[in-house]
Structure formats: structure tokens, C-alpha cells
Amino acid sequence: MEDIEDLLVGNGGAGGEVAPGFRLPVAAAVGINPKQTKKKKSNQDSVPKPSLSIPGTQTIYIKTFGCSHNQSDSEYMAGQLSAFGYVLSDNPDDADLWLINTCTVKSPSQSAMETLITRCKNAKKPLVVAGCVPQGSRDLKDLEGVSIVGVQQIDRVVEVVEETLKGHEVRLLTRRTLPALDLPKVRRNKFVEILPINVGCLGACTYCKTKHARGHLGSYTVESLVDRVKGVMADGVKEIWLSSEDTGAYGRDIGVNLPILLDAIVAVLPPHGSTMLRIGMTNPPYILEHLKEIANVLRHPSVYSFLHVPVQSGSDSVLKAMNREYTVSEFRKVADTLIALVPGMQIATDIICGFPGETDEDFAETVNLIKEYKLAQVHISQFYPRPGTPAARMKKVPSNVVKKRSRELTAVFESFTPYTGMEGKVERIWITEFATDGIHLVGHTKGYIQVLVTGPETMLGTSAMVKITSVGRWSVFGEVIEILSQANNVVTDVGRAVENSSCSNPDSCACTKEPEPCGCETSSCCGQVQEVENPVSASAKSSTQSSQNLIGWILRKRKNLHEADTAGVLEFKEQQKGALARKPDWNPVDKILLGGVFVSLMTILGLFLYLGL
């Protein structure tokens, strides 16, 4: 099967090179599998029937696995499909076609993808698979007979969907340029822009499959990224997440570096912090030479004092086997320098338990490192051998030992109480979403500590001053004191309109759902791997945000109905009381009618008395 690019360049029939963004007629622009159109009649019932509807009128279900970069890709694909007229739905049964954006970081994600593909095939739904799995493992058996769009082909998703709906199998996997940043986008959260600053990486980790899919480092220009930041702020975005497989490696292929980009972005951010910047996952090797510059950016009032720096192991021998290109002492230098130079600095890290060759002594060094820093966020995962990687050929640690080490490290991490002492403090937070319990709103401090508050949905997208009322293991709880004006940072009194956080068991309250960090790294919220929710159509988006969780949604509705019923009863009682207290106000017509009724009654009474005599 040919890739579409083979048909577009040279003798592909399109008259030479095609200008970026130019959309050819479908017949010339999409490579069609010739075998798909020659199937025997007896097999026709086993494949999705070609759609006879007008392109752009069907319903699309999008499912996303993996990192924030994948989430951004899905939002771009959803935006293009929506702009072309397709309806986006979060209900797979109602959809005419499924689009699955895949992750190849860990086996569980790929297994979930394979289950979903099987379900789609059984439902005889047309299917398009995107993301790292088909890009890095294009010969996977589960992808036979399935249309594929590569990680750098997301700007061609409309054409792939059109041809797939017609019953054709299409594959786009080869590309020499990066997709444009100004494509239409449907964000999962309208207040958060996930901005990919580069694709691929410079590393060669022995366990990583993502490099096979995302490839070598390719960076967007500083100018294009700054223009995108300006554009999304004009759209009302309140948080910008810089995302990539390795943020720290940005620009080394085009003669710039991460501090240059950060300085350029910070220069266009509002100085009063109405829009916040979050710097994405950064491996130690590429920020060691820029620590002071990055610390200076992290101190800026419009930048979260938070950085995700994966260490993966506390043992230098294991790091060498992983080919991580740094030592434990270099990780310590990164952490110690940032903590010393940035007030309230919060660092998250990753650990892989049971990497091939890890001894009990190696693992003990990892435990000691985690105990030393007592970081509030540590993403712990067991080693999963990815096919085609060097680590998959290494001698494995027994699975029971891997599980035991994972449980032991998790217990150590969960014994920390990182937020103790915050009770009573007043913090500024930025509120962008609902918690998964469907009751609380989620805000973050400048150190990106999660704060759960209660309040109306209109508080989403605002910044507020809160008093911390209680702390849990994964979040803190606050009472909103004041909402800050976005225009000039003036404090506006909201006058106790917001109730105190009312979680009876703070540790049981849900964390916010966030995508996993990019590339080779793994992430979790409250120690559990998360899947990213699908982008949805604009018409369904507001209802989705207000009902993140069915039980939570019911609780919110029940609370509102109870309050409405109570208010109605009180109002009715007040009306009754007022009616009894008021004196009748008779107008002339009322008096005449009442007199007529009285005369009639007296006449009838007189007749009865007369007849009775």
C-alpha cells in the first residue's frame, strides 16, 4: 500500500510538489488500498458498508489514550472534522465512524486500544486509528484492514475520514514537515491550550517506544509559537501547557533553546497573571546548562512554579542501562537548584520499578532518593517491555519482584504528608475545571498544588484568593474569599457566595483528570494511570463540563433541587402569612357583586320560610 505522499510528489499525478495546506481533490489526494475494492461478494457483509451520505454530515466518536501531546493532536483533528461539518459525539454507539488516537508508552494503554478496535470491528463501524501505535508498529496485526493517520499527518484527517466512510482503507504515515499550529481546534477544556513546541526527542532510552513513532527532534519556530500563544489568549484561554516528548530539548535542531522560547512567551503574557503558563516534562540532561535562566522564568507571576523532571531510578547503574544520559547527582543538582532559587517550587518525577537488571541494592537507592526529597507527585510504574526496544531483549526481573517493589515504593510515597501546615493559609489559585467527583471546582496554586473549592460554574476561568480549610493526601480544600478581576488584578468581594468545601473525607475526593506527560514518561493522578477524555462538539461541551461524573452530577442536581424546593416552601409560607395579615381591598365592582350575592341568598331564604308556613 502506498502512502499519500508518494502520490502527491514527483510523478504522483499532481503536477509536482503541493503547497502546504493545499487540499487536492479526494481522488488525487488519498491513497486507496486496491485490495479493499476487489473483495469477493461473499465477504461484503463482514466489512463496513460504504457511506452514501454527503461527506461532512456524519457523526464521529474520538477516543484518546496517552499523553498531553496526544490530547492536543486529538483536539486538532476534532477541530478540523468539526469545521468540515462532522458532528462530534462522546457516545460510540451513535457514531458513524470511530477515531482512536493511540499511545505506545505502556502495555495497558495498548491493550485497551486493541480491545476498543475489536469492539469497533464487531460493531461493523468504519475505523481510523491515529497516534504512536500505528506510526511505530504499522505492521501490527490489529491494524490490518484499518485506516491509519500518522502523528504528523493530523492535518489530513478529514480526507482519511471521508475515504474510510466510503469503505476504503487509507494509510498516511510519511511526512517531512510539521503540521501547522493554526489549525482549527476543539479543546477538551476551553480554558486550557495544550501547545506542542516540538515533536520527537534527542534521547535513545532503551525502554522507549515513542521515539519509534515521534522520531528525531523537530521544533517549531519561536515566532510561530508566540503567535499561537497570542491567538489562544484572544480566544479566552487561561492556561497554556507547553508539551512535547522532551520540553528541555526544544530548539536544539534550529539553533535556539528553551530559555529563549520561554522569554519570548513570557513577554506576551498578561503581567497580572490572568493567563498562566505551565512548562512541560523536561529531562535532566537538557536543562543543566540553563538552570538559572529557567528558574528566573519559573519565578514570573504568570508561570507556574512547577516542573516535571523524570529521574526513573535512584541508581546510576540502572540509569546507564536505560541510557538516560545523566546521573542521580545531576538530577539532584536540577532539583536542589530550582528549589533554592524558586519560592514554593514543586517538582514531580517518575520512577520505573523492576527495570531489567535492577538489584535489591539499586531499588534501595531509589527508595532512599524518594524519601530524601519527599516530592508531592511521584508517578510510579512497573516496567513494561515494549516490542522492538533494546530493553525488551534484556533479562527481566521476575514479575512478582517487580510488583513487590512497586507496592513498597508506593507505600513509602503515600506515607508523605506534603501539604501539612497549609491550613489557614491564603493562596491565589487559577480555576479551570471540575473535579472528577462532579461537585468541586479545581484550582491550582502558583506551585500547581491542586485546590478543591465549591462554587458556581461561572467561576471557571477565573483567578481567586482562597483560604485553605483542610488538607488531604492528594489535594487541599479551600474557601473562596475573593475573586480577582482579570482586567487589572483588582480584588472583588464575592461576599460569602461560595460555601466551604464540604468533603467529609478529603482523601476520598477525586483528583482532576489530566493527560499523562509526554513521550517515554508515565504519569498518574493519585497513583492511577489516566485516560484522556474525548473532545466533544461545542453543543455538548458545556453539559460535559458540568457533569464530569454521573454520581457527582446527580449529587449536584439533587442539592440544587433541594435548595429550590426549600426556597419554594419558604416563599409559599411567607405568601400565606402575608395574605392573612393584609386587610381586604374592595373596589366598587366587588362591592356590587357581593351585594347581589347577599340579596339573592336572602330572597331564597325568604321563599323557603314562606313555603314552609
Side-chain angles (χ1 to χ4, degrees):
M1 182 186 303
E2 294 178 296
D3 282 341
I4 187 172
E5 284 71 17
D6 297 330
L7 303 177
L8 294 180
V9 298
N11 297 322
E17 291 286 347
V18 178
F22 181 76
R23 188 162 184 264
L24 293 172
V26 172
V30 178
I32 300 173
N33 181 6
K35 295 181 180 180
Q36 184 74 12
T37 59
K38 295 181 180 180
K39 286 184 179 290
K40 295 181 181 180
K41 186 176 181 181
S42 59
N43 294 332
Q44 289 297 316
D45 294 337
S46 63
V47 298
K49 295 181 180 179
S51 174
L52 301 178
S53 303
I54 300 173
T57 61
Q58 295 84 3
T59 299
I60 310 296
Y61 166 69
I62 302 177
K63 177 67 177 179
T64 306
F65 294 94
C67 67
S68 59
H69 199 162
N70 258 23
Q71 177 61 41
S72 179
D73 287 350
S74 288
E75 291 177 352
Y76 272 127
M77 289 189 285
Q80 293 171 85
L81 292 167
S82 180
F84 197 73
Y86 290 101
V87 176
L88 306 177
S89 173
D90 57 0
N91 186 346
D93 296 329
D94 293 342
D96 299 302
L97 177 141
W98 291 12
L99 171 58
I100 303 174
N101 196 0
T102 62
C103 173
T104 190
V105 171
K106 293 192 292 187
S107 295
S109 294
Q110 186 162 333
S111 297
M113 173 213 74
E114 292 167 355
T115 300
L116 197 60
I117 289 175
T118 301
R119 178 184 166 193
C120 184
K121 288 180 177 179
N122 291 339
K124 294 184 170 60
K125 299 272 189 179
L127 173 64
V128 175
V129 177
C132 293
V133 170
Q135 189 75 57
S137 306
R138 60 187 69 187
D139 297 326
L140 199 65
K141 185 175 181 181
D142 290 282
L143 300 177
E144 293 179 0
V146 172
S147 289
I148 292 172
V149 56
V151 294
Q152 294 187 33
Q153 300 283 1
I154 58 174
D155 56 348
R156 312 297 290 277
V157 67
V158 171
E159 298 162 57
V160 177
V161 165
E162 284 180 357
E163 289 303 310
T164 304
L165 284 167
K166 294 176 184 177
H168 301 143
E169 178 188 342
V170 184
R171 292 198 170 197
L172 296 117
L173 291 168
T174 305
R175 176 96 178 225
R176 299 173 183 85
T177 59
L178 298 175
L181 290 171
D182 59 354
L183 296 169
K185 202 171 195 183
V186 175
R187 299 183 186 91
R188 180 179 68 96
N189 184 334
K190 69 178 181 179
F191 298 112
V192 176
E193 166 72 5
I194 303 172
L195 179 59
I197 63 174
N198 56 263
V199 299
C201 67
L202 295 174
C205 300
T206 55
Y207 58 84
C208 182
K209 185 76 171 178
T210 307
K211 181 73 175 279
H212 297 193
R214 295 283 182 179
H216 198 66
L217 182 69
S219 303
Y220 288 95
T221 65
V222 172
E223 293 77 15
S224 64
L225 291 166
V226 170
D227 287 343
R228 180 66 180 176
V229 167
K230 292 177 180 177
V232 301
M233 287 194 299
D235 291 341
V237 162
K238 299 303 177 185
E239 280 190 9
I240 299 170
W241 298 356
L242 301 186
S243 177
S244 76
E245 281 63 60
D246 186 354
T247 302
Y250 168 80
R252 290 172 179 258
D253 57 321
I254 58 174
V256 294
N257 56 41
L258 181 60
I260 292 174
L261 173 64
L262 295 178
D263 288 340
I265 292 177
V266 166
V268 301
L269 292 177
H272 45 74
S274 62
T275 300
M276 295 295 289
L277 180 70
R278 192 183 85 172
I279 303 173
M281 185 275 294
T282 303
N283 284 313
Y286 307 114
I287 60 171
L288 280 166
E289 60 190 275
H290 302 303
L291 285 176
K292 291 184 179 179
E293 293 91 335
I294 291 176
N296 186 54
V297 172
L298 291 168
R299 286 195 298 266
H300 191 278
S302 294
V303 181
Y304 285 117
S305 303
F306 169 84
L307 198 61
H308 177 199
V309 186
V311 64
Q312 302 298 9
S313 174
S315 165
D316 283 339
S317 62
V318 173
L319 292 178
K320 184 176 181 180
M322 292 178 172
N323 197 28
R324 290 291 288 170
E325 301 179 340
Y326 60 87
T327 63
V328 176
S329 64
E330 288 174 325
F331 169 81
R332 281 195 170 94
K333 181 180 179 180
V334 171
D336 293 344
T337 302
L338 294 179
I339 291 171
L341 295 180
V342 183
M345 182 68 195
Q346 295 286 320
I347 295 176
T349 197
D350 298 344
I351 296 291
I352 296 176
C353 289
F355 188 81
E358 182 186 66
T359 64
D360 289 340
E361 292 75 16
D362 294 328
F363 177 68
E365 291 184 77
T366 298
V367 173
N368 290 335
L369 181 70
I370 298 304
K371 286 181 177 180
E372 177 183 348
Y373 282 92
K374 291 183 170 60
L375 301 177
Q377 295 186 42
V378 179
H379 310 135
I380 301 168
S381 66
Q382 300 173 27
F383 171 73
Y384 294 100
R386 307 305 297 133
T389 62
R393 299 188 295 271
M394 297 178 181
K395 185 177 180 180
K396 299 177 182 59
V397 176
S399 59
N400 62 320
V401 175
V402 175
K403 292 177 181 178
K404 179 178 178 293
R405 289 175 182 173
S406 176
R407 288 193 297 267
E408 181 181 339
L409 187 59
T410 299
V412 169
F413 166 61
E414 291 183 350
S415 69
F416 303 153
T417 54
Y419 306 129
T420 298
M422 289 189 67
E423 298 95 331
K425 289 186 176 181
V426 175
E427 297 275 354
R428 182 179 181 181
I429 66 170
W430 288 263
I431 304 170
T432 57
E433 60 186 316
F434 278 103
T436 55
D437 64 4
I439 299 174
H440 291 88
L441 301 177
V442 177
H444 291 92
T445 67
K446 191 177 186 299
Y448 214 68
I449 297 171
Q450 182 172 266
V451 182
L452 302 182
V453 298
T454 54
E457 188 174 349
T458 52
M459 285 176 58
L460 291 172
T462 67
S463 180
M465 301 301 296
V466 301
K467 180 179 180 181
I468 306 302
T469 56
S470 62
V471 300
R473 176 58 184 86
W474 313 109
S475 308
V476 301
F477 299 82
E479 174 188 0
V480 175
I481 301 172
E482 298 151 333
I483 296 176
L484 301 179
S485 168
Q486 296 177 8
N488 53 14
N489 209 24
V490 173
V491 171
T492 304
D493 188 1
V494 296
R496 304 294 176 182
V498 183
E499 299 176 346
N500 289 341
S501 173
S502 57
C503 181
S504 58
N505 182 3
D507 284 341
S508 69
C509 288
C511 294
T512 177
K513 283 187 178 179
E514 294 177 8
E516 297 182 38
C518 299
C520 326
E521 318 311 333
T522 56
S523 173
S524 64
C525 174
C526 301
Q528 296 179 353
V529 175
Q530 299 294 320
E531 293 176 7
V532 180
E533 298 294 331
N534 305 322
V536 294
S537 63
S539 62
K541 200 164 187 179
S542 60
S543 62
T544 302
Q545 289 178 338
S546 63
S547 56
Q548 297 277 337
N549 174 282
L550 179 59
I551 297 175
W553 181 83
I554 293 172
L555 291 173
R556 289 177 70 90
K557 291 295 182 183
R558 182 178 179 184
K559 178 181 177 182
N560 293 339
L561 289 173
H562 173 72
E563 292 174 349
D565 290 342
T566 302
V569 171
L570 292 174
E571 182 180 0
F572 175 73
K573 290 182 177 179
E574 287 296 323
Q575 289 174 350
Q576 284 187 317
K577 183 178 179 180
L580 293 173
R582 287 194 302 267
K583 293 181 179 180
D585 186 12
W586 303 102
N587 58 41
V589 175
D590 292 334
K591 293 178 179 178
I592 293 171
L593 291 174
L594 185 61
V597 171
F598 180 74
V599 170
S600 299
L601 289 174
M602 294 304 294
T603 302
I604 294 172
L605 181 59
L607 288 173
F608 276 116
L609 292 174
Y610 175 78
L611 293 173
L613 293 173

